Amino acid sequence: MATITPAQLSIELQVPQKRIRDHLRSVYGTLAEGSTRWLLSEEQAEGIRERFRDDRRARRGDWLLEPGDTVRRRSMHDAYGGQQQGGISTPRGQNDIFIFTDPESGARYGYDKFEGLREDGSYSYTGEGQYGPQEFVRGNRALRDCAKDGKTIRLFRTHGTSATYVGAFTTGTPTYEIETIPDASGNPRAGIIFNLLPTVARVELLPAYGGGLGPEALIDYSAAPRSWTPPEYDDVVVAAADTAPGDRLVSRIEFELQAAFGEWLRTQGLSPRRLPLRAGSALIEPDMFVPERNWIVEAKKSIARGHVRTAIGQVLDYAHVARKAGLDATPVILLPGLPEDDLRELMHTVGITLIWRIEDGFEVSKP
């Protein structure tokens, strides 16, 4: 059975994959119709080894894998060094830090509660250390300081002895947060949750935050409207219990605006709903969905340019995903007042409906 890939041979021989694939095409022609990558028999692989055995090798430290490549984890350490145990590996003399995640194994220790791909595209990763409070030593310290030290994070999703390269990451802001997680015996302790941002990666290979879909759902888009209730706004600042590092804090003003808008919609005979959206591995949700108008609504507490620009990007993304799921979505931005003329012009240009609060209700301006 053909199980050897150019990626595995690239790591083994320290030869760039492009050279291996070029040689395969010269010998066997193009890939068979319907195939997306070469899968080689041992005989074919031995032919590659013989061809490149005495060729010039890549310089030590050159990165040879592409996002989506699957190799044996041990071969990574044979080629680059680094610790073979644990989730964080720091090869000596390399500008890379390897981190490994196994969602199935991690779930047994409660790591899945804070680990996964978040709505904003960041990835939260639990530090190493199975017992006692996690501390900034060894791999945890290296990961915390990687941006300052000029190092690239290479994230792998593992299964058994295999490791699939997801891609290159860096740390976000904040770099980490401290959360209460269980140790290997189930006892609560302080855990380090790193906030990682992809630079060149296939994030759809990662599980969603809190568990969920992974590479088996690469092109899955779904939308399931749910009942909506007015948000509470007693507190000055409200944060969800499981917010991601860097996730927005929703102010009292924004929640009160949403609640008032929901009540106004009902006086118009409309029914505000929730709309969780699934796009591959990510679960995202706009502030409100109005099915009678197909409105996908994003609310902001201020008409300041920064808030409006953020809303534009968010609501266009929500509407795009909703359309992929089969909804005839109309992007809507809800504001407490009327923004500047050029921002209104921008929203209309990109097809966004603007709704703002007035004394006795809300005003709607369509593009």
Side-chain angles (χ1 to χ4, degrees):
M1 180 179 178
T3 58
I4 304 173
T5 65
Q8 182 63 48
L9 291 170
S10 175
I11 291 296
E12 177 185 327
L13 300 170
Q14 290 291 284
V15 173
Q17 284 190 65
K18 183 179 185 303
R19 294 177 60 199
I20 294 176
R21 289 196 295 262
D22 287 347
H23 176 69
L24 288 169
R25 282 191 287 268
S26 71
V27 174
Y28 301 106
T30 58
L31 279 169
E33 186 175 352
S35 299
T36 58
R37 62 174 181 165
W38 293 93
L39 293 174
L40 310 176
S41 66
E42 183 57 48
E43 181 181 357
Q44 290 171 318
E46 189 55 38
I48 295 293
R49 294 186 183 100
E50 186 64 29
R51 164 65 181 82
F52 290 101
R53 199 179 305 279
D54 299 321
D55 270 34
R56 177 177 60 84
R57 304 298 177 92
R59 295 173 299 174
R60 179 169 176 80
D62 284 354
W63 190 248
L64 300 171
L65 296 182
E66 300 168 1
D69 285 342
T70 297
V71 298
R72 291 187 295 273
R73 176 170 174 174
R74 181 174 179 178
S75 67
M76 289 295 305
H77 298 295
D78 289 343
Y80 294 100
Q83 303 88 332
Q84 297 193 37
Q85 302 297 322
I88 304 174
S89 180
T90 53
R92 187 183 300 274
Q94 298 288 113
N95 284 325
D96 300 298
I97 297 173
F98 302 154
I99 63 174
F100 301 89
T101 181
D102 181 345
E104 293 181 9
S105 175
R108 294 199 295 269
Y109 303 108
Y111 278 19
D112 56 332
K113 177 176 173 58
F114 292 104
E115 191 160 307
L117 185 66
R118 298 183 183 271
E119 176 180 346
D120 65 357
S122 65
Y123 185 73
S124 63
Y125 180 79
T126 306
E128 62 180 3
Q130 294 188 358
Y131 293 96
Q134 292 184 344
E135 300 177 342
F136 288 106
V137 296
R138 298 181 293 278
N140 290 337
R141 181 177 60 216
L143 202 53
R144 179 196 64 187
D145 298 339
C146 70
K148 178 184 69 176
D149 296 339
K151 300 204 172 195
T152 298
I153 301 166
R154 306 286 184 180
L155 173 58
F156 292 82
R157 180 169 180 166
T158 60
H159 181 72
T161 60
S162 297
T164 298
Y165 177 55
V166 176
F169 288 71
T170 187
T171 49
T173 302
T175 301
Y176 66 89
E177 290 190 346
I178 303 298
E179 299 285 357
T180 300
I181 65 173
D183 67 12
S185 298
N187 299 313
R189 43 73 178 265
I192 304 168
I193 312 299
F194 289 100
N195 179 28
L196 307 182
L197 300 178
T199 54
V200 180
R202 287 183 55 189
V203 295
E204 70 271 16
L205 296 175
L206 294 169
Y209 175 68
L213 300 182
E216 68 277 9
L218 301 187
I219 57 172
D220 174 61
Y221 290 88
S222 63
R226 299 179 183 175
S227 61
W228 178 88
T229 56
E232 298 290 340
Y233 50 89
D234 292 336
D235 296 331
V236 174
V237 176
V238 180
D242 293 329
T243 52
D247 266 8
R248 64 182 182 182
L249 296 179
V250 184
S251 76
R252 180 183 185 278
I253 295 174
E254 189 172 322
F255 268 176
E256 194 276 333
L257 177 67
Q258 292 178 38
F261 182 60
E263 293 306 313
W264 178 80
L265 287 171
R266 286 174 172 146
T267 68
Q268 308 299 306
L270 305 176
S271 53
R273 305 290 298 276
R274 289 183 55 210
L275 187 68
L277 297 167
R278 176 70 72 179
S281 293
L283 182 65
I284 60 179
E285 184 173 347
D287 289 323
M288 192 181 297
F289 174 58
V290 185
E292 296 87 352
R293 299 285 188 270
N294 289 319
W295 284 350
I296 303 285
V297 182
E298 178 62 25
K300 283 290 177 279
K301 68 178 181 180
S302 170
I303 62 172
R305 180 172 293 271
H307 287 78
V308 175
R309 290 173 63 192
T310 298
I312 289 172
Q314 288 176 304
V315 78
L316 290 178
D317 183 30
Y318 292 138
H320 167 73
V321 174
R323 289 169 187 146
K324 297 283 283 187
L327 291 177
D328 185 18
T330 297
V332 175
I333 291 178
L334 172 66
L335 297 173
L338 197 60
E340 294 182 85
D341 289 347
D342 66 324
L343 289 173
R344 300 204 303 273
E345 180 182 353
L346 172 59
M347 283 185 272
H348 288 185
T349 299
V350 296
I352 295 174
T353 293
L354 171 64
I355 300 179
W356 68 98
R357 198 170 192 173
I358 57 177
E359 185 175 351
D360 57 351
F362 291 85
E363 189 77 23
V364 179
S365 176
K366 298 179 180 179

